[in-house]
Amino acid sequence: MTGRPMWTTRRTICTGGNVVAACLGATLALAAMSPAQKAIYDSYATTAKTADAAFTDFSASRGQAFFLGQHAGGKPDTASCTACHTTDPKKSGRTRAGKEILPMAASANPKRFTDAADVEKWFRRNCNDVLGRDCTVIEKGDVLAYLLGL
Amino acid sequence: MLPERATETTAAGRIVWDRFVRLFHWLLVASVAGALLTGFFGGYATYLLHIGFGCVVAALIVLRVIWGFTGTTHARFRDFVETPWAIARYAGRLLRGGAPTHIGHNPLGGLMIIGLLSVLVAMVGTGVAALGGTAKDGPLASATSYATGAAIAGVHRLLAFSLLAMIALHVTGVLLESWRTRENLVRSMITGRKWKRPERAAGSAPETTRAATTVARPTLAAAISFGLAALTIPAVVAASRWPVLGVPVAPLDAVLVKECGSCHSVHHPSLAPASTWRSVMAGLANHFGETATLSSDVERRITQLLAENAAESWDTAAANLLRRPNPSEPLRITATEGWIGIHRGVPAAVFASKSVAGKVNCGNCHGDAEAGIFSRRAINIPMEKFP
């Protein structure tokens, strides 16, 4: 750990390994969420809980690894979320057709994750292009935790 | 044997071409040169300039015709418009030698003036019709179909070549006549003066003095000009604003704009035939290599909007050019013959540049792409792409 803020919300700055551990999970992310974002996040959490009673919460660090990581099974040109969204979710990305994609981080783009159908549409399309399959609810929730808490 | 020439010279010369005729002549030279240059070499960037030159030519011709009935002696049509028989007789005498010298235009010169004026009138007319039909612009936009406009544009082009030939012939005639009469006719069109008097000997009829007593009526000419302008300019403006059939006016559906526009610039439904749209929408699972699936109700809605407003329903240039898919790549608008033809002059570097970002993003150069208009006026290629 570098001591640099790993993620920031309007209210809390989490730094360092021990604090990260304390802040991990939904507590921090939830603090910054709008009601619409919270509803979507909670609905994924409910689905996960229904599937697995042992489920406690999504993980932002797991989501970060998933978002930044290279994946197999999808299209070779888009093996990672970062192929279009770049490695900095607070900055704009670019579609393969050349159009600007507004930042994925909710702190940089408050309209992110406010329309459940849109969120599902893009997971459906992009998971297919990057992974060659649908994402699991855990993967989706982890990514949301990462991007909502960033 | 050279013809006898006029030898008598007056010190101050005489005014043959009045100030209006001289101004008209050189303004016409400038505006015709501008129209020819912008028409042949200007491309989309000089579209408005070309129309502007055409308007100046039209206005000059109208004024010249009025002055042809109200102007000074040698400005009047009756001073230089001859019967075909008289022109042929003069041409014969010119070839044999011994043709008379004229103060104003000789009969062949007069024929050239009428010819040039007629071709220019035809060029203005075909230009306005071509503009109306193909670009849906100007006073004939609501009265001309794309097919008619495109055919007339071909005539406009042919007329431009015949105009070039006539200009060459006109300049040759002026130089030959200058040599024959020992009078610098180009200088005369600048100063208005001629110094040599026509030969009166050999019993030749004083053909040049037919209209010698004509008095110019500048006030009448000005009154007619203002009257015509007051009538025609509002009429042209009103006709240009008349609603044009076959041109989309309604804004695009918000759902279509959102769904298609999140990945690439929104293509107006008029850019492809209904059959293409149906195939595109049926294949969203692999949309040019991308997964672009929609919920079934959104997909149905967008398919219907696209099919109902497809290229067959419109008469714009884009709809006409893009109506026939390329059989080897039927879904790709940029593979159609029409698209390739109209973008032939655009360097590949433009499409590769970051601000254009590929052929799919029409809106990055065409400000009115989403409206389906694609006017040459709305083209704005981001300059960073030109090295």
Side-chain angles (χ1 to χ4, degrees):
Chain A
M1 286 297 160
T2 59
R4 189 166 56 91
M6 284 192 62
W7 60 79
T8 311
T9 71
R10 283 183 201 92
R11 294 174 208 173
T12 321
I13 299 173
C14 292
T15 52
N18 56 336
V19 191
V20 170
C23 295
L24 257 184
T27 333
L28 174 93
L30 285 171
M33 277 188 232
S34 74
Q37 288 166 339
K38 186 175 183 317
I40 291 168
Y41 184 90
D42 288 349
S43 117
Y44 282 114
T46 309
T47 311
K49 188 93 184 158
T50 315
D52 177 9
F55 170 82
T56 52
D57 205 347
F58 296 123
S59 154
S61 61
R62 232 170 29 219
Q64 179 179 28
F66 182 84
F67 187 89
L68 299 177
Q70 299 290 311
H71 302 273
K75 291 170 184 162
D77 289 345
T78 52
S80 170
C81 309
T82 59
C84 294
H85 293 295
T86 80
T87 52
D88 183 357
K90 290 185 178 177
K91 294 213 175 105
S92 282
R94 215 166 161 82
T95 69
R96 306 249 299 134
K99 194 139 176 170
E100 182 186 19
I101 308 171
L102 293 175
M104 295 307 293
S107 58
N109 178 10
K111 285 186 182 164
R112 276 292 167 227
F113 315 115
T114 55
D115 179 331
D118 251 17
V119 174
E120 262 307 289
K121 179 181 80 182
W122 287 112
F123 273 132
R124 184 182 71 233
R125 291 174 168 186
N126 294 354
C127 292
N128 189 54
D129 282 341
V130 175
L131 306 160
R133 60 166 173 83
D134 286 340
C135 289
T136 65
V137 68
I138 303 289
E139 285 165 338
K140 292 177 190 175
D142 287 348
V143 167
L144 249 61
Y146 166 53
L147 295 172
L148 283 166
L150 206 59
Chain B
M1 178 71 190
L2 291 175
E4 290 183 70
R5 286 180 205 103
T7 49
E8 227 179 311
T9 306
T10 51
R14 69 171 85 188
I15 293 284
V16 176
W17 308 124
D18 63 55
R19 259 178 299 183
F20 170 79
V21 168
R22 277 135 58 200
L23 194 65
F24 160 80
H25 178 269
W26 295 113
L27 283 179
L28 192 68
V29 169
S31 51
V32 165
L36 285 169
L37 285 171
T38 52
F40 279 117
F41 308 112
Y44 77 91
T46 58
Y47 169 72
L48 281 183
L49 204 56
H50 183 73
I51 294 171
F53 281 127
C55 291
V56 173
V57 169
L60 285 172
I61 290 173
V62 170
L63 294 175
R64 182 64 186 88
V65 168
I66 293 170
W67 198 237
F69 293 103
T70 57
T72 56
T73 304
H74 300 291
R76 298 218 179 188
F77 291 123
R78 69 173 180 210
D79 184 66
F80 59 82
V81 178
E82 304 279 355
T83 61
W85 167 242
I87 296 169
R89 195 162 53 114
Y90 173 80
R93 289 175 73 180
L94 201 58
L95 288 175
R96 287 192 307 273
T101 308
H102 294 71
I103 300 175
H105 295 298
N106 68 43
L108 277 174
L111 178 65
M112 178 55 80
I113 304 309
I114 299 304
L116 283 168
L117 288 178
S118 308
V119 167
L120 287 172
V121 166
M123 289 211 70
V124 168
T126 52
V128 171
L131 181 72
T134 61
K136 300 293 174 211
D137 213 348
L140 292 184
S142 57
T144 320
S145 71
Y146 179 85
T148 307
I152 291 176
V155 177
H156 189 70
R157 209 166 295 128
L158 284 179
L159 285 170
F161 284 110
S162 36
L163 179 63
L164 282 175
M166 289 173 75
I167 290 170
L169 208 56
H170 172 58
V171 172
T172 308
V174 166
L175 294 178
L176 282 178
E177 184 73 347
S178 296
W179 167 76
R180 189 179 77 91
T181 62
R182 296 289 186 266
E183 175 93 61
N184 184 339
L185 294 178
V186 178
R187 187 182 60 180
S188 292
M189 192 47 83
I190 296 167
T191 63
R193 287 170 190 276
K194 285 190 181 178
W195 280 264
K196 308 276 162 120
R197 279 193 186 173
E199 182 183 347
R200 301 257 175 121
S204 70
E207 289 167 70
T208 54
T209 57
R210 243 176 359 148
T213 55
T214 308
V215 176
R217 309 283 299 278
T219 317
L220 179 65
I224 296 172
S225 306
F226 280 114
L228 264 181
L231 286 174
T232 53
I233 292 173
V236 167
V237 171
S240 303
R241 290 182 181 168
W242 205 259
V244 181
L245 289 178
V247 175
V249 284
L252 284 179
D253 178 80
V255 172
L256 185 146
V257 170
K258 181 192 164 210
E259 296 299 345
C260 305
S262 46
C263 290
H264 54 74
S265 98
V266 178
H267 301 322
H268 192 274
S270 64
L271 303 193
S275 58
T276 296
W277 287 128
R278 289 204 185 87
S279 306
V280 164
M281 294 303 291
L284 288 179
N286 183 5
H287 184 63
F288 300 97
E290 304 286 304
T291 308
T293 46
L294 291 164
S295 66
S296 59
D297 55 328
V298 173
E299 184 185 312
R300 211 175 311 115
R301 174 178 178 162
I302 291 179
T303 306
Q304 188 185 347
L305 279 167
L306 290 169
E308 282 174 359
N309 296 284
E312 298 92 322
S313 318
W314 307 105
D315 195 39
T316 56
N320 278 281
L321 285 169
L322 308 176
R323 204 170 278 161
R324 280 173 304 281
N326 179 341
S328 59
E329 265 191 297
L331 302 191
R332 207 180 278 276
I333 294 170
T334 54
T336 58
E337 211 178 296
W339 192 95
I340 293 169
I342 204 98
H343 293 88
R344 190 154 281 146
V346 184
V350 168
F351 295 114
S353 73
K354 207 178 169 196
S355 41
V356 175
K359 296 174 181 176
V360 70
N361 290 306
C362 315
N364 285 347
C365 295
H366 296 277
D368 54 357
E370 207 165 289
I373 306 296
F374 292 90
S375 164
R376 271 164 279 196
R377 294 191 211 179
I379 299 176
N380 182 16
I381 301 179
M383 286 313 281
E384 70 170 80
K385 5 181 154 89
F386 290 119

